[in-house]
């Protein structure tokens, strides 16, 4: 059984940056999705999900990304992915049509550019 992929998060400007390392497959999508959503504060306008360290992504992982994008849209937040062109998961993302549902960048700095401003909820 695949272990939960490791994540870490930090705030960068108006974005929440979450890095995922390891494999994303059907066996760990539920706890991984919960961990990612828990890491995103309500005040973050954008979630930048850095998948540069992700070594495997199956259809369960693709479904996780699409569900996450929809949930964030409902909260008026945006999901952006970082997947280098030479990443082992880039072909899966390109062939699955994920890029039609969210912004996919090859470089982290590009994903962090032009963050939407969200007013402080307090």
């Amino acid at each position: 059984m695949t272990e939960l992929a490791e994540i870490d998060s930090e705030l960068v400007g108006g974005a929440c940056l979450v890095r995922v390392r390891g494999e994303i497959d059907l066996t760990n999508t539920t706890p991984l999705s919960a961990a990612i959503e828990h890491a995103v504060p309500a005040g973050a306008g954008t979630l930048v999900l850095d998948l540069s360290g992700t070594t495997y992504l199956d259809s369960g992982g693709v479904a996780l990304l699409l569900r996450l994008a929809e949930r964030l849209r409902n909260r008026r937040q945006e999901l952006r992915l970082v997947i280098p062109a030479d990443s082992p998961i880039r072909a899966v993302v390109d062939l699955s049509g994920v890029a039609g549902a969210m912004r996919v960048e090859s470089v982290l700095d590009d994903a962090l550019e032009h963050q939407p401003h969200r007013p402080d909820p307090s």
Side-chain angles (χ1 to χ4, degrees):
M1 184 168 144
T2 304
E3 297 286 327
L4 175 64
E6 294 179 24
I7 72 165
D8 61 65
S9 64
E10 65 180 292
L11 291 177
V12 180
C16 177
L17 171 61
V18 175
R19 292 181 177 90
V20 181
R21 291 174 307 284
E23 298 183 0
I24 303 174
D25 65 23
L26 191 55
T27 66
N28 66 11
T29 57
T30 299
L32 183 59
S33 179
I36 292 169
E37 288 188 50
H38 180 74
V40 182
T46 303
L47 166 59
V48 175
L49 193 58
D50 185 353
L51 301 178
S52 300
T54 303
T55 56
Y56 180 79
L57 182 76
D58 71 1
S59 60
V62 169
L64 174 151
L65 296 174
L66 295 171
R67 283 191 308 268
L68 183 59
E70 182 62 26
R71 285 189 195 119
L72 289 170
R73 249 191 311 278
N74 289 339
R75 293 175 10 188
R76 297 180 187 232
Q77 294 172 304
E78 178 186 7
L79 174 60
R80 298 179 183 181
L81 303 180
V82 178
I83 307 171
D86 62 350
S87 168
I89 68 166
R90 186 62 187 241
V92 173
V93 170
D94 290 343
L95 293 172
S96 68
V98 165
M102 66 203 74
R103 186 169 154 184
V104 180
E105 299 289 352
S106 296
V107 179
L108 178 60
D109 287 346
D110 292 343
L112 290 171
E113 284 184 346
H114 308 294
Q115 296 301 311
H117 174 71
R118 286 184 55 123
D120 187 356
S122 54

